[in-house]
Amino acid sequence: MNPTRGAWRGLALALLLALGAVHGAGAAPKPTERSKQKAAAETERAALARKLANLKAEIGKTESAKEDAADTLAESEEAISDANRTLRELAAEQVQLNGKVAELAAEQLRLSATVAAQKQQLAKLLREQYVAGNEDRIKLLLSGDNPNRINRELQLMAYVSQSQARLLDSLRANLKKVEENQAEAQNAKQELDEIAEEERQQKVKLEQEKARRAATLASLSKKLATQRKEAGRMEQDAQRLDALVDKLNKLIEEQARIAAAEKARQEKLAAERAAKAKAEAEARALARAKAQAERERLAQEAKKAGKPAPKPLPVEEEPKVAAKPEPAEQRDEKSPRPSEVALAPVVADGVFAKLKGALPTPVNGKVEKRFGSKNADGVAWKGMVLKAGGGAEVRAVAAGRVVHATWLRGYGNFIIIDHGGQYWSGYGYNETLMKRAGDVVKAGEVIATVGNTGGYEESGLYFEMRHQGKPIDPAGWVKF
């Protein structure tokens, strides 16, 4: 067989294989990335939830077993909060995914244009290879020209062949990227279908829980009213919250130590990687400098001998391949699990203290109960109650980490934010908690909606602040 024709057939076969790579057999449906990530997140949330549930269980052991009518509402009030939060999260996911689908479609157009151009380039190359074969090399070898010149020309031809090989590799890579893009777009569409189904389920659940809570309230209205008037009720609730805060403080201190140790370890690893990368970069620079010096030496020798300077070697370029996303960083065995550092402070000490007197109000409403004012039993309020319409947005007064977000007797759906420096803010009676324990929030971010959970009579927000575990008057901090 003619070797020229054999080479041409080999190149043609490579091209056909490259073009066929994107048309493989359809794979069986796989779980979406969203469902896998969601499962992993739920596992970590469950681990953190167990830690916090154990804290509340320990507090419950020290109390009498006397029934509280508001406890009957706890399950439905938590379920309503969860359903509302999930619906809000799903809506945000939907917006994000629709944007991703649009980006993938635009990327597909760009990739298609690149692939089409590369196909044309390779088709032209195939025709030229077929017509010319290897005659150029044979003619050069038999020309009887200066051996040095023949060697340089053959080397140049070799670089041209390498350039052709890189073009083919680039085409293969881009075809693979087209396939990946199509799979990613299909995955995004499946995720949108998942979200639509989850939204439908959550809406059904929400309506069921609202009906359940309404029926429970109707049957317990008299009992709730009676218990609200019982002596010592508010004091017991406050003591329960004090105990929760004390135990949370200890858990947060433990997680802060773990997080600090991990940060120091990661900084050491990063420094080692940076040193290695620097050494490799210096070695590459030295190799380039030596190659340049050698080229200059050969040019000088040719000049002295009265010969033409050798042709500069082509500069190798990386194939133009569509950028691939960085792979997700894997957790090494020495790293703590997310649930072990989920409550570690994220705001440096001293930052929150500077905001005194300038914090925004958590909700627009009239102050109904003030810090230090007393109820009928002579028990002082350790926070404030702001009267506001049900469903009104409750916002974080400052940045921080959510360390508690669940139902608590006397306070309903209650959320606590750690602002660093042992400053905390708490928000109670909420209908919906928009954040979970471990979430990081910004100043002014919506964290809940106003309600009357926990047995409180009217819609409103219970708001309190603490420093080193002790209640402080919010009036000196917040611009009401």
Side-chain angles (χ1 to χ4, degrees), residues 5 16 25 36 60 64 124 131 133 151 155 208 231:
R5 298 295 183 265
L16 287 171
K36 287 188 278 188
S64 65
K124 181 182 177 184
V131 172
N151 184 51
Q155 192 175 14
Q208 290 174 342

Side-chain angles (χ1 to χ4, degrees), residues 210-461:
K210 281 183 175 179
R212 179 182 167 194
R213 181 176 185 267
T216 305
L217 270 175
S219 64
L220 292 175
S221 58
K222 289 183 180 179
K223 192 172 183 180
L224 282 166
T226 301
Q227 286 191 345
R228 276 195 291 266
K229 295 175 183 176
E230 285 181 2
R233 169 71 53 179
M234 192 169 83
E235 190 172 7
Q236 290 171 9
D237 293 339
Q239 288 172 353
R240 188 179 306 107
L241 180 55
D242 289 343
L244 173 65
V245 166
D246 181 58
K247 290 185 179 297
L248 271 175
N249 259 323
K250 292 175 182 175
L251 177 59
I252 290 167
E253 286 173 4
E254 178 190 346
Q255 295 209 349
R257 284 194 296 271
I258 295 172
E262 176 62 10
K263 182 182 178 183
R265 189 178 77 87
Q266 290 296 338
E267 286 175 349
K268 182 181 177 183
L269 288 174
E272 290 171 355
R273 286 194 294 267
K276 183 181 178 182
K278 183 181 178 183
E280 290 173 351
E282 288 174 350
R284 288 194 298 270
L286 181 60
R288 285 195 298 270
K290 285 181 178 179
Q292 178 63 26
E294 179 63 14
R295 284 194 293 271
E296 291 173 358
R297 186 185 68 79
L298 291 173
Q300 287 294 331
E301 286 181 359
K303 186 177 180 181
K304 288 178 182 178
K307 298 177 181 178
K311 293 182 180 179
L313 297 178
V315 178
E316 291 195 32
E317 295 181 358
E318 292 295 323
K320 294 181 180 178
V321 182
K324 292 183 72 174
E326 289 292 324
E329 198 170 311
Q330 298 295 317
R331 187 182 70 88
D332 63 55
E333 293 180 359
K334 294 182 180 179
S335 295
R337 296 203 66 84
S339 59
E340 295 172 336
V341 293
L343 302 183
V346 291
V347 180
D349 291 355
V351 174
F352 184 81
K354 295 177 182 177
L355 302 174
K356 187 172 183 179
L359 296 176
T361 180
V363 70
N364 292 323
K366 180 183 177 183
V367 177
E368 195 170 61
K369 307 288 184 183
R370 292 189 177 276
F371 178 88
S373 63
K374 297 182 179 180
N375 67 357
D377 298 329
V379 177
W381 283 85
K382 293 186 176 181
M384 305 177 77
V385 177
L386 302 171
K387 190 172 182 178
E393 292 182 335
V394 178
R395 298 178 182 274
V397 295
R401 167 97 74 180
V402 176
V403 295
H404 179 278
T406 188
W407 196 92
L408 182 67
R409 184 190 287 184
Y411 301 91
N413 291 321
F414 191 61
I415 190 165
I416 301 174
I417 301 175
D418 178 3
H419 300 290
Q422 297 189 49
Y423 283 99
W424 290 12
S425 59
Y427 313 74
Y429 305 157
N430 299 291
E431 178 189 50
T432 303
L433 300 179
M434 296 299 186
K435 300 296 179 181
R436 295 182 172 88
D439 286 350
V440 176
V441 297
K442 299 175 183 176
E445 188 172 351
V446 176
I447 56 170
T449 59
V450 170
N452 63 336
T453 57
Y456 196 70
E457 293 176 86
E458 299 176 346
S459 291
L461 174 71

Side-chain angles (χ1 to χ4, degrees), residues 52 191 213 314 325:
L52 296 174
E191 289 178 352
R213 181 176 185 267

Side-chain angles (χ1 to χ4, degrees), residues 134-195:
N134 286 333
E135 290 179 5
D136 288 343
R137 292 183 187 225
I138 295 169
K139 286 178 181 177
L140 185 60
L141 287 169
L142 299 176
S143 66
D145 203 346
N146 185 313
N148 288 332
R149 177 180 171 276
I150 292 173
N151 184 51
R152 287 197 301 272
E153 293 294 338
L154 286 174
Q155 192 175 14
L156 185 60
M157 287 182 178
Y159 271 96
V160 171
S161 296
Q162 290 174 19
S163 177
Q164 293 168 354
R166 285 198 301 274
L167 175 61
L168 189 58
D169 288 341
S170 177
L171 176 58
R172 285 197 189 101
N174 278 323
L175 285 168
K176 185 179 179 183
K177 186 63 182 173
V178 168
E179 188 176 19
E180 290 171 354
N181 178 283
Q182 290 170 347
E184 199 173 350
Q186 182 60 33
N187 182 75
K189 289 172 184 174
Q190 288 175 358
E191 289 178 352
L192 284 170
D193 291 340
E194 281 180 8
I195 289 173

Side-chain angles (χ1 to χ4, degrees), residues 69-122:
D71 289 354
T72 311
L73 295 168
E75 190 176 344
S76 61
E77 289 182 342
E78 278 193 279
I80 289 170
S81 174
D82 290 345
N84 275 323
R85 181 183 61 243
T86 301
L87 283 169
R88 188 183 179 103
E89 289 172 345
L90 288 171
E93 267 192 280
Q94 205 166 34
V95 170
Q96 188 176 7
L97 271 173
N98 280 324
K100 183 179 179 181
V101 168
E103 287 175 6
L104 286 169
E107 184 186 4
Q108 185 73 0
L109 289 173
R110 289 194 296 271
L111 281 169
S112 297
T114 301
V115 166
Q118 288 179 325
K119 285 179 182 178
Q120 288 179 358
Q121 196 174 349
L122 270 175

